[in-house]
């Protein structure tokens, strides 16, 4: 077989590892749907008639802080789960183990950012004067 002739195992133009990209897209889609289901009731709640939604700026900033912390913690948990599964199925492959460790490291960074979210909101409160 010459280098110009396609392999009989896969069609011409097909890439090796294409199913891995589809699996990641499916995982992202499932996580996105899960987030929409979990926050659907509060995100699409009706706005009360005849007044502001929040009584003051502190309440708004606290709500923003809670949303930021929740989203970051959710994403960090997803990365922690992905890293754990990758580590379990790595089968001793050093490249896969490094990818798993990178995912676990990213999860740790995410949890750190979620822990710092209240500090960022306090700084924002002092800047705005709330």
């Amino acid at each position: 077989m010459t280098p110009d002739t396609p392999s009989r195992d896969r069609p011409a133009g097909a890439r090796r590892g294409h199913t891995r990209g589809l699996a990641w897209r499916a995982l992202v889609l499932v996580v996105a749907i899960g987030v929409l289901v979990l926050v659907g009731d509060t995100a699409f709640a009706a706005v009360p008639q005849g007044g502001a939604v929040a009584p003051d700026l502190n309440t708004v900033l606290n709500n923003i802080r809670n949303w930021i912390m929740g989203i970051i913690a959710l994403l960090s948990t997803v990365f922690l789960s992905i890293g754990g599964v990758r580590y379990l199925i790595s089968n001793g492959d050093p490249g896969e183990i490094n990818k798993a460790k990178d995912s676990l490291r990213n999860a740790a960074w995410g949890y750190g950012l979620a822990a710092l979210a209240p500090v960022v909101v306090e700084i924002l409160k002092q800047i705005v004067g709330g």
Side-chain angles (χ1 to χ4, degrees):
M1 180 180 350
T2 64
D4 295 333
T5 58
S7 172
R8 293 180 191 233
D9 295 339
R10 58 182 192 262
R15 295 184 317 226
R16 183 172 287 189
H18 183 63
T19 56
R20 187 177 294 170
L22 291 176
W24 278 106
R25 289 181 188 149
L27 177 67
V28 168
L29 181 64
V30 167
V31 169
I33 291 172
V35 168
L36 288 176
V37 167
L38 289 175
V39 299
D41 291 337
T42 57
F44 302 112
V47 176
Q49 296 293 329
V53 177
D56 60 352
L57 183 62
N58 283 333
T59 305
V60 171
L61 291 176
N62 286 334
N63 289 341
I64 291 171
R65 179 198 64 203
N66 292 339
W67 273 96
I68 290 172
M69 286 176 61
I71 291 170
I72 292 175
L74 176 74
L75 288 174
S76 297
T77 304
V78 168
F79 277 109
L80 183 70
S81 301
I82 290 171
V85 169
R86 281 188 118 162
Y87 195 79
L88 286 173
I89 64 173
S90 67
N91 200 20
D93 182 17
E96 286 297 319
I97 290 175
N98 286 336
K99 288 179 185 178
K101 287 180 181 179
D102 287 342
S103 183
L104 294 173
R105 189 176 303 118
N106 290 337
W109 276 104
Y111 285 125
L113 288 175
L116 287 177
V119 175
V120 172
V121 172
E122 286 300 320
I123 292 171
L124 186 62
K125 281 182 185 178
Q126 290 182 0
I127 290 173
V128 176

